[in-house]
Amino acid sequence: MRPPAVSLRWKIALTVMAVSCAVAAVLGVLVHNAVARQTVGQVRKEARANLDTALDLFEYGTSREGLNSLLDPPELPTELRRLVRSGQRGTMVGTYHGRSVMWAAAPADGQVMAAWRPYGTVHRSLDHFDTAILGSAVLAAATVALAGLFLAHRISRRLGTTAAVARRITAGDLDARVGDGRGPGGGAAGQDEVAAVAAALDSVAGSLQSRLQAEQRFTADVAHELRTPLTGILASAELLPEGRPKEMINDRLRALRRLTEDLLEISRLDSGTERADLAAYDLGELVRRCVAATGLDTEVRIAADAVVETDRRRLDRILANLVINAHRHGRAPVVVTVDAASEPRPTIEVRDHGPGFPADLLHHGPQRFRTDAPGRGRGHGLGLTIAVGQSAVLGVDLRFTNASDGGARTLLRLPQGAVVG
């Protein structure tokens, strides 16, 4: 089982907190050792000074009162006593009358001369100092962690905005932009890596939009330029003598004319200026008339009927293209099912019993001039493209799937609130 994913925001915050805690711990240990050495060294120095004075007074037989010095004290640590018996001097922390003291001892005429200094206050001072270091480290780590979380949040938010814009561009919104590429402090574009990524994405979107607009203008111009001479050719073809050659020429000219009209329609849809002309219609009757107008043997089933608000011309165009595509590339029977009571939106299903849609179409959607998948015949691929464009104008959710028992299946979900009354 995979562990839950951790967002970039928390990764940065946890990393900053871990580093700050490690730095605080190292600094705390270094400061503690330095202060401890200095404090203990001062007490040891005072104990040695007392010992030197006591030795001088012992040598001259003078009283050592007030020096905290003793001869062969029984509480002297064993290790320190053994060191002095070997003829050396030394210091060691021990106890005297139940109190913590710093002992300093040295040989004195075959005996052990020892002097002591109170050490309990040193312990308490070091404990208080360690507590202060720990509190300061926790406070500093918390502050740095919060600062890291704030910084990570800003970076994550900017990256999230960039990702959202990238998804909008992928969905077809080529006007989407991250911004002007300025950093969080208002500096020039490219101030940091996130701003550079945002600026690069905006640049790619702008370049892609310009190229697509140029292609759309080219398609529209070509279609418009073809329309006039094509109309003249069609008129001239009517003057040919009746016979098979005339029929073949007229058939190809009509196909070319349909292609030209399809290109003009696609150019209008690509421009984004198309608007639906909504009115109330009986959905079942509307679908029946549309299917009948194709002149193809198609079964219409009404599971549930209702009055809906839609654009009749555009819905006719969508259904006609889907039904024609089903007959051209699929196999009979072709069935159109209307279910206005489907939740949460009224649906229309177009189903054939052929080889089904190719995997590329299911994954990428209809592609212009690409319908040469094995088993589905050939065509210019504009019918389904027009259906998708008109569906977008109507707010219809158009989905292409394959039925589990074989055949292509197209599902149209009308917009929310399409049902009148």
Side-chain angles (χ1 to χ4, degrees):
M1 183 177 179
R2 287 186 176 182
V6 181
S7 66
L8 178 63
R9 177 191 313 173
W10 285 107
K11 286 180 180 179
I12 295 176
L14 292 175
T15 301
V16 171
M17 184 172 64
V19 172
S20 62
C21 288
V23 172
V26 171
L27 290 178
V29 170
L30 293 177
V31 173
H32 167 83
N33 291 338
V35 172
R37 282 196 300 269
Q38 182 179 2
T39 304
V40 174
Q42 181 62 33
V43 176
R44 182 178 285 113
K45 180 179 179 181
E46 293 175 357
R48 286 173 176 171
N50 283 357
L51 177 63
D52 291 337
T53 303
L55 288 173
D56 290 340
L57 294 176
F58 176 76
E59 183 178 354
Y60 292 107
T62 309
S63 173
R64 303 187 310 278
E65 185 177 357
L67 286 179
N68 297 332
S69 63
L70 300 169
L71 282 174
D72 293 325
E75 294 178 289
L76 189 69
T78 304
E79 293 82 357
L80 182 57
R81 186 184 300 276
R82 187 180 299 115
L83 180 67
V84 174
R85 292 296 184 186
S86 66
Q88 302 181 58
R89 292 187 173 202
T91 59
M92 185 174 292
V93 177
T95 58
Y96 180 64
H97 292 171
R99 295 183 300 166
S100 179
V101 298
M102 171 69 75
W103 289 102
D109 197 15
Q111 302 181 71
V112 176
M113 175 63 70
W116 55 269
R117 293 288 298 173
Y119 194 74
T121 56
V122 176
H123 269 305
R124 288 191 294 273
S125 297
L126 290 177
D127 289 342
H128 292 159
F129 186 73
D130 289 344
T131 302
I133 290 178
L134 180 60
S136 301
V138 170
L139 180 61
T143 302
V144 173
L146 290 176
L149 183 61
F150 174 74
L151 177 62
H153 173 72
R154 296 193 65 181
I155 295 175
S156 177
R157 183 179 60 187
R158 294 168 64 198
L159 289 175
T161 300
T162 303
V165 171
R167 286 191 291 268
R168 287 172 57 190
I169 293 173
T170 302
D173 183 7
L174 298 182
D175 291 323
R177 296 291 185 274
V178 179
D180 59 359
R182 300 174 71 86
Q191 182 183 16
D192 57 23
E193 289 78 2
V194 178
V197 170
L201 178 63
D202 288 348
S203 176
V204 169
S207 176
L208 179 61
Q209 185 178 37
S210 298
R211 293 186 62 181
L212 288 178
Q213 288 174 345
E215 291 180 4
Q216 291 166 6
R217 286 193 298 269
F218 175 77
T219 302
D221 292 343
V222 168
H224 279 292
E225 292 297 327
L226 285 175
R227 182 185 246 179
T228 301
L230 184 57
T231 302
I233 294 174
L234 281 169
S236 300
E238 294 298 326
L239 301 177
L240 294 175
E242 297 295 332
R244 181 61 178 166
K246 179 179 179 179
E247 292 178 2
M248 294 176 63
I249 292 174
N250 284 335
D251 179 68
R252 291 299 86 200
L253 287 175
R254 282 192 292 269
L256 182 57
R257 183 174 186 175
R258 286 195 300 270
L259 175 58
T260 303
E261 295 297 330
D262 286 346
L263 289 173
L264 285 172
E265 184 172 359
I266 286 178
S267 67
R268 290 194 299 269
L269 292 171
D270 286 341
S271 68
T273 59
E274 293 287 281
R275 296 294 180 268
D277 184 13
L278 301 179
Y281 299 95
D282 182 273
L283 184 60
E285 185 62 26
L286 181 62
V287 172
R288 283 196 185 96
R289 290 180 180 177
C290 173
V291 172
T294 63
L296 300 171
D297 184 15
T298 305
E299 180 184 355
V300 178
R301 299 174 182 172
I302 309 297
D305 203 356
V307 176
V308 299
E309 191 176 52
T310 188
D311 187 323
R312 181 188 58 80
R313 182 183 66 83
R314 297 184 189 279
L315 187 60
D316 281 353
R317 185 70 163 134
I318 296 170
L319 289 175
N321 283 3
L322 294 178
V323 170
I324 292 172
N325 184 81
H327 281 279
R328 179 180 297 168
H329 302 298
R331 283 196 298 267
V334 176
V335 181
V336 178
T337 304
V338 178
D339 186 1
S342 176
E343 292 294 338
R345 302 159 68 172
T347 62
I348 304 172
E349 180 188 78
V350 180
R351 162 83 187 277
D352 67 48
H353 291 76
F357 289 118
D360 188 62
L361 185 145
L362 295 177
H363 184 68
H364 299 290
Q367 304 292 314
R368 302 172 189 181
F369 300 103
R370 289 182 61 184
T371 60
D372 55 347
R376 289 194 61 83
R378 289 180 175 270
H380 52 64
L382 299 183
L384 294 184
T385 304
I386 291 173
V388 171
Q390 295 290 7
S391 296
V393 176
L394 289 178
V396 172
D397 180 16
L398 183 60
R399 299 187 181 183
F400 300 95
T401 62
N402 287 330
S404 58
D405 56 346
R409 178 173 176 264
T410 307
L411 194 65
L412 294 88
R413 288 190 174 93
L414 274 62
Q416 292 277 6
V419 177
V420 178

